[in-house]
Amino acid sequence: MKRLIIHGDPGIRKGAIVDYDGTELVCFGINRNGEWHGPEEVQLWCTVGTEDEYEDYEKRNYTPHFLDVDRVDAEDVDVIRAKADLAV
């Protein structure tokens, strides 16, 4: 699990699957920063990981402060699925 900071908006939301650095990652949570008083383009601070790490994310079995951080432009992220399906 790691933090992925995306400069720009590739059109993803919570539950998206992206291909970054040759690995498919699931976006567990997304914080959208910079729309009002931030930089010229929005930044998405995504908590990403593999599907088997989702239970640790749900139970908060990690320390957000100590996650590895990668920064990438929106053009460098391949979107496989833009958002999760709604569960009823």
Side-chain angles (χ1 to χ4, degrees):
M1 192 176 331
K2 63 181 165 182
R3 179 83 61 177
L4 182 63
I5 300 174
I6 302 174
H7 298 279
D9 188 1
I12 61 173
R13 299 295 173 257
K14 181 178 175 182
I17 298 176
V18 296
D19 185 7
Y20 168 68
D21 201 27
T23 307
E24 285 189 14
L25 299 171
V26 179
C27 295
F28 302 139
I30 298 178
N31 293 327
R32 193 174 173 91
N33 298 316
E35 285 197 306
W36 297 99
H37 302 291
E40 290 189 17
E41 63 181 3
V42 70
Q43 292 180 352
L44 301 179
W45 290 45
C46 308
T47 304
V48 296
T50 58
E51 290 183 19
D52 58 337
E53 293 175 320
Y54 184 70
E55 186 176 348
D56 286 336
Y57 174 79
E58 256 187 344
K59 294 182 178 182
R60 304 287 188 234
N61 193 15
Y62 68 100
T63 307
H65 183 72
F66 294 111
L67 290 177
D68 291 334
V69 177
D70 288 342
R71 295 174 183 264
V72 65
D73 289 328
E75 299 86 32
D76 297 333
V77 175
D78 295 326
V79 178
I80 296 171
R81 183 177 74 185
K83 59 184 177 181
D85 298 330
L86 294 176
V88 178

